[in-house]
Structure formats: C-alpha cells, structure tokens
Amino acid sequence: MARLNSIIHALESGQHAFAAFAAPDPATALDFATSDYDGLVFEAEHKPWDATTLRDSLQYLLDRRRIFEAGTLAPSPTPLVRVPVNGAEQGQWHAKQALDLGAYGIVWPHISRVEEARNAVAACRYPRLPGADRYEPAGVRGDAPTAAARYWGVRNQEYYARADVWPLAPDGEILVVIQIEDQLGIENLPAMLDEVPGIGLVLIGEGDLSQELGVPRQLEHPVMVDARRRIVEICHAHGVVVGHPHVTAGNVQQVLDEGYRFLMSAPVRTWPGLEAGRRLTGRS
C-alpha cells in the first residue's frame, strides 16, 4: 500500500513539507480541503478541546473527488492535532482520542525533558510484549481502532500494521512532533533525540520561547535567532527534521537556507472586492 501520511511521504522522499495551524471546526476544514498543504494541524492547545467537533472537522477535511483523482487513500492535507497538555503534565488521553478519530499524528507542546518526550511517543503507540521489535518507547495507547481504520480507509488489521510512529517504524504512518519552547527544552534536546526513538519532527515554539527570553514575539531579536540556531544545529546533528512555525513570503528563503524542512505558514484571507471598493470610494 502506498504511503498514507503525506507529510511523512514528503520528508522521507527528501522533500520539504508544508503545513498550517487551523482551528478545529468544519468550516475551516472545508477551506483547507482543496489546498496544496501537505498537512494541517488542528489547534487544540489554545482552542477548546471538543472531540465531537474535531471528529466532524476531520471528516470535512476529506475531499472525495480529490482522493479519487489522486488514486491513493492518502488525505491531502494530512491531519495532525496539537493537544492541550504541556509535556510536564504527562498527558495521554487527548492523544488517544485524536488518534482514535483518525488523526495521523500528534503535536506535543512544551516538551522540556527526556521523560516528557518518551511519554509523547509512548502515548502514540500500542503496547507490545518486552522483547518485541522496536519495543521502546513502550506503547500505552488503548485499543479502539474502528473509527480510525475507517477514516484511513483500511481494515482494522491493516490499521494495526501501519499505526506506529515514523521513523522508528519505517512503515509507520503516525508522526510524533515535539515542540521545544524553553531553554530547558533546548538543553535537554540532545538527550531526547539520543534516548527516545520515534520522534519524527521537532517544531520550534517561538511564542513561548520568546516570552521566556524576555523578548515576546520579537522573533528576529538576536537572542531568538541564537536560540533557533541552537535547536536547528542539534536536530541536524541527530538527523531529525526541524520545523519553523512562522513562515511568510518575506522569510521563506531564509527559512530554507537555515535548514528547516517542515514549514508552517499562516493562511492569509483577502477581500479584493472590498479593498478595491474602499480604495475607489476614498475609505482606504
């Protein structure tokens, strides 16, 4: 079977992957259903957690004609979910519910310690007996695959075979993304990447990182530039993809030059008729 996760497909092919954050609501999902993003991260850290609305949003993200014409079961864009809990809370149930609904990965905010990174990966894996291949990090995800298998378009046993974390499992379709958002996270990042297999992607959390550094949202301040550089260098040294959360038309070349391969951009809405009308009537 062809790769089902379009983000993983791009990354393992040596390409860049493009994604965006979006509110988990059906109207927003419809807006993105025909976009060219590889992935869409439904934002539940700073938005209310509502599993029913998330379920509906996942469904509205599917475009049957687009899937049919592509000749693959892979959704485009591939849905991930950023869960509400910070790493120190050692949460698991939000990830379980999101994966059981059919999400192809989890974005974990505020991962600062090795044990938090291990919990993030373990929460996305089913248990297996000690001694099994790729046993660690030992999975703790509960078993309820029916809705997820239906969403992926596969049988339950096929889902089990593919519902593991990439790149630890080469055929895995679940992407574990950890966000580094403070100095402690930067300090512990080498150990996380050395000791916790299954981390597919590191995403920089610039907002919270800039708050801690005393330069809130001053993303090009020298201390922020240096912090991002340190994270990128650590990821490159460990062969792990690093993501940039604030890609714009103005900085995209710089972001590419600095070695990011997962690029998140905020979708921009425009109202050309309104703008032209205001300009012509002297209201602009």
Side-chain angles (χ1 to χ4, degrees):
M1 185 184 296
R3 174 65 72 187
L4 299 176
N5 187 318
S6 298
I7 302 171
I8 293 175
H9 173 72
L11 295 177
E12 70 181 355
S13 301
Q15 301 172 334
H16 295 79
F18 298 88
F21 281 114
D25 67 71
T28 301
L30 277 174
D31 288 341
F32 280 90
T34 56
S35 72
D36 289 328
Y37 285 106
D38 299 297
L40 182 66
V41 179
F42 284 118
E43 163 54 32
E45 182 191 7
H46 295 290
K47 302 290 184 183
W49 177 265
D50 185 332
T52 301
T53 302
L54 175 60
R55 178 200 63 193
D56 293 346
S57 300
L58 289 166
Q59 294 297 328
Y60 275 92
L61 189 63
L62 297 178
D63 185 310
R64 293 177 63 190
R65 175 164 292 280
R66 195 175 194 193
I67 293 173
F68 173 76
E69 290 176 348
T72 172
L73 288 171
S76 180
T78 294
L80 310 182
V81 176
R82 179 159 74 169
V83 294
V85 292
N86 292 339
E89 299 174 72
Q90 296 283 294
Q92 298 171 354
W93 70 271
H94 293 96
K96 174 173 60 178
Q97 289 196 357
L99 293 173
D100 284 352
L101 290 173
Y104 285 79
I106 303 296
V107 179
W108 296 87
H110 292 282
I111 300 297
S112 302
R113 298 172 175 85
V114 171
E115 57 268 27
E116 297 169 12
R118 184 175 291 110
N119 179 72
V121 177
C124 295
R125 308 189 73 204
Y126 287 120
R128 63 195 72 196
L129 289 172
D133 289 343
R134 302 186 292 271
Y135 175 72
E136 292 289 352
V140 295
R141 178 184 172 188
D143 178 55
T146 305
R150 182 181 185 277
Y151 187 79
W152 285 22
V154 299
R155 297 179 179 86
N156 280 7
Q157 290 300 321
E158 293 172 317
Y159 180 79
Y160 287 138
R162 305 291 285 265
D164 202 355
V165 297
W166 176 89
L168 174 60
D171 292 330
E173 301 286 0
I174 293 176
L175 185 64
V176 175
V177 181
I178 64 169
Q179 285 201 261
I180 301 301
E181 308 196 59
D182 56 27
Q183 294 297 296
L184 183 60
I186 298 176
E187 178 183 332
N188 288 328
L189 184 56
M192 294 184 212
L193 300 183
D194 282 334
E195 300 177 27
V196 184
I199 297 171
L201 173 65
V202 172
L203 180 63
I204 299 175
E206 291 189 308
D208 288 273
L209 183 56
S210 67
Q211 287 283 354
E212 183 190 57
L213 292 173
V215 291
R217 292 288 169 172
Q218 299 175 50
L219 303 183
E220 295 309 314
H221 191 284
V223 298
M224 276 298 297
V225 172
D226 183 64
R228 286 197 303 267
R229 177 192 56 77
R230 292 164 59 198
I231 295 171
V232 171
E233 288 180 352
I234 293 168
C235 290
H236 285 180
H238 288 79
V240 175
V241 174
V242 60
H244 194 293
H246 294 120
V247 178
T248 67
N251 72 0
V252 63
Q253 186 60 60
Q254 176 184 340
V255 168
L256 293 172
D257 292 343
E258 290 175 354
Y260 296 91
R261 291 185 54 216
F262 183 73
L263 283 65
M264 301 196 73
S265 61
V268 178
R269 293 178 181 270
T270 61
W271 294 271
L274 172 63
E275 293 165 359
R278 287 179 62 89
R279 184 176 65 255
L280 292 172
T281 59
R283 293 192 57 195
S284 58

